[in-house]
Amino acid sequence: MDIQQPLSLLGGLTAEQFMRRHWQKKPLLVRQAIAGFVPPVLRSELFALAGQEGVESRLVQSIKGAWKLRHGPFNRRALPALQQPDWTLLVQGVDLHNDAVHALMQQFRFVPDARLDDLMISYASNGGGVGPHFDSYDVFLLQAHGKRRWRIGRQKDLTLREDIPLKVLAQFEAEEEFVLEPGDMLYLPPRYAHDGIAEGECMTYSIGFRSAGRAELAQELLVRLAEDAGEEGSPVLYRDADQNAVSQPGAIPSALLDFAREAMSRALAQPLVLERALGEYLTEPKPSVWFEPGKVGVMLEGICLDRRSRMMYDEKHIFINGESYRAAGRDATLMRRLANERQLSARELLRASDDALELLSSWCDAGWAHVWAGTE
Ligand code: SIN
Ligand code: CO
């Protein structure tokens, strides 16, 4: 993607300008971000997805000021009638199930893949919404069908109501108000409060981001580090030939603390262990994701990544779906290209080493990539 090219998606800003001026800083309203937008998912298809096991969906209803939340899957009869006002169905991770939605999300790859999370679609009947709230992550709200009135504002008080099962602000004061029509888009930074109410039937696409919390990241990485720190052969045990007799047996020997500290620093000192753990963690597929084993194919026509595959790289590694590979030289260049473009042409494959081709073909076997029928 050319990050210096003005994009109608960003109201004529370049990706570079958007990131500098708005990302994590202030909202941006873009009229006709996608002019003539034709939503790739019909209402009936969204309802069908919400009925599937392994697809995360929620139903929010406000009935006379009382909020109700239910989790899917929902069969069609479990959803309220279309004429009934004030309900919303939210389906998470639609990009994992639909190629066109996955393709739409690619337009937002001026943000690193490590930050891009998923595309959620909401369907609302007239008056439907999830209440005034804030999200912890950045979001692009793309109006797909019908109209939605958004009221947004920074808040002094982010206290949530305690009497309902939803994260709804106890006090909400809007600073701005817009009605979004199909193709319009609103970017909101984290913790920017918003309230979107459907004016007639409406569908909204939320392009969401993820951002690891410090504690969560430490926990995830430490688990992986521990796996890597496993010793072959007999374990190195704490030894205390110099231990004196104690009259206070409850006290932890300070030598044991030193031993523990050394164990930790040894685990962290292993070359590239943190890099590996981070890449594996970031590319780990979501728990609901499974791949159908693919056909072993000749890759002469090129390959593309499956829409569910997560692929990233750092200076020394290639990561895909929670696995890491050391890569250098021409093969590393090729694999990085695959991670960035999500496809490789026949011509590019001709330059791959036998090892790289073998690896790519094993990914095709696993369903992580597919033989691609494109021409270039
Ligand atoms: C919705 O689409 O109804 C909710 C999206 C959001 O407020 O983040
Ligand atoms: Co929100």
Side-chain angles (χ1 to χ4, degrees):
M1 180 180 297
D2 181 355
I3 55 170
Q4 278 155 5
Q5 188 188 317
L7 299 173
S8 40
L9 182 76
L10 299 173
L13 295 180
T14 66
E16 218 171 48
Q17 288 167 330
F18 170 80
M19 292 305 279
R20 213 173 36 238
R21 296 180 198 168
H22 293 274
W23 181 249
Q24 303 239 306
K25 300 170 199 77
K26 58 177 185 189
L28 177 68
L29 169 70
V30 183
R31 294 288 177 195
Q32 292 306 284
I34 306 185
F37 182 55
V38 180
V41 180
L42 298 172
R43 179 180 70 200
S44 55
E45 289 169 332
L46 189 70
F47 289 179
L49 264 180
Q52 278 182 30
E53 285 291 343
V55 176
E56 199 187 322
S57 57
R58 286 167 291 155
L59 177 67
V60 175
Q61 270 178 289
S62 74
I63 304 168
K64 295 194 188 101
W67 292 90
K68 220 168 98 183
L69 167 72
R70 281 199 290 140
H71 291 275
F74 302 101
N75 66 43
R76 180 64 192 87
R77 269 164 296 151
L79 297 175
L82 298 179
Q83 311 82 281
Q84 186 177 320
D86 304 339
W87 64 273
T88 302
L89 173 72
L90 305 116
V91 182
Q92 213 70 51
V94 182
D95 53 296
L96 298 172
H97 304 281
N98 182 296
D99 277 329
V101 172
H102 180 257
L104 173 66
M105 218 168 118
Q106 305 308 296
Q107 297 193 40
F108 297 85
R109 289 181 77 216
F110 49 84
V111 182
D113 287 346
R115 297 281 273 111
L116 199 51
D117 188 16
D118 77 335
L119 192 148
M120 174 184 87
I121 300 184
S122 70
Y123 168 86
S125 68
N126 185 32
V130 297
H133 67 283
F134 63 89
D135 298 306
S136 307
Y137 309 109
D138 308 76
V139 65
F140 289 93
L141 298 156
L142 172 65
Q143 192 58 23
H145 170 77
K147 292 186 196 175
R148 166 161 261 155
R149 180 175 298 273
W150 284 105
R151 295 164 66 233
I152 67 170
R154 288 157 297 182
Q155 308 294 304
K156 284 192 203 81
D157 181 4
L158 288 176
T159 313
L160 300 176
R161 276 177 64 172
E162 279 175 4
D163 53 330
I164 50 174
L166 265 87
K167 290 189 172 157
V168 169
L169 287 165
Q171 311 274 352
F172 171 65
E173 281 176 39
E175 293 175 302
E176 290 177 281
E177 185 168 324
F178 326 96
V179 176
L180 266 64
E181 306 215 5
D184 292 347
M185 188 172 79
L186 178 62
Y187 161 76
L188 293 174
R191 302 173 77 79
Y192 210 98
H194 49 287
D195 186 18
I197 296 180
E199 301 206 335
E201 172 185 88
C202 109
M203 283 209 255
T204 304
Y205 288 18
S206 299
I207 294 94
F209 293 83
R210 63 178 189 157
S211 168
R214 200 155 49 181
E216 178 205 325
L217 197 57
Q219 191 181 351
E220 286 289 338
L221 297 183
L222 284 169
V223 168
R224 285 177 160 79
L225 250 60
E227 281 162 12
D228 271 24
E231 292 152 319
E232 278 163 26
S234 49
V236 178
L237 300 180
Y238 168 64
R239 300 188 56 159
D240 53 358
D242 294 334
Q243 175 68 58
N244 295 324
V246 293
S247 53
Q248 291 164 331
I252 295 171
S254 64
L256 186 48
L257 177 61
D258 293 341
F259 183 76
R261 192 169 282 124
E262 198 208 324
M264 288 294 284
S265 42
R266 271 177 183 269
L268 265 169
Q270 295 176 85
L272 300 174
V273 67
L274 193 60
E275 287 85 340
R276 212 162 44 236
L278 180 63
E280 290 177 5
Y281 164 64
L282 289 173
T283 57
E284 196 66 63
K286 296 207 168 154
S288 63
V289 166
W290 71 94
F291 293 91
E292 296 92 33
K295 291 184 232 95
V296 194
V298 231
M299 293 185 289
L300 293 179
E301 289 164 86
I303 63 164
C304 64
L305 290 181
D306 183 87
R307 60 173 183 264
R308 288 157 288 202
S309 282
R310 297 183 71 98
M311 186 173 185
M312 297 174 204
Y313 58 86
D314 67 11
E315 274 178 29
K316 299 263 173 26
H317 305 91
I318 300 296
F319 305 101
I320 180 166
N321 296 333
E323 296 202 356
S324 52
Y325 305 86
R326 282 297 288 266
R330 222 168 49 183
D331 282 347
T333 310
L334 186 83
M335 294 300 194
R336 286 175 190 173
R337 191 167 171 81
L338 178 60
N340 289 328
E341 306 300 325
R342 298 189 65 86
Q343 62 186 38
L344 289 174
S345 67
R347 188 142 28 107
E348 285 161 338
L349 283 175
L350 284 178
R351 279 180 253 140
S353 70
D354 287 349
D355 283 351
L357 283 176
E358 204 173 307
L359 196 56
L360 290 171
S361 114
S362 74
W363 295 350
C364 288
D365 288 352
W368 294 1
H370 307 288
V371 174
W372 176 52
T375 47
E376 173 56 301

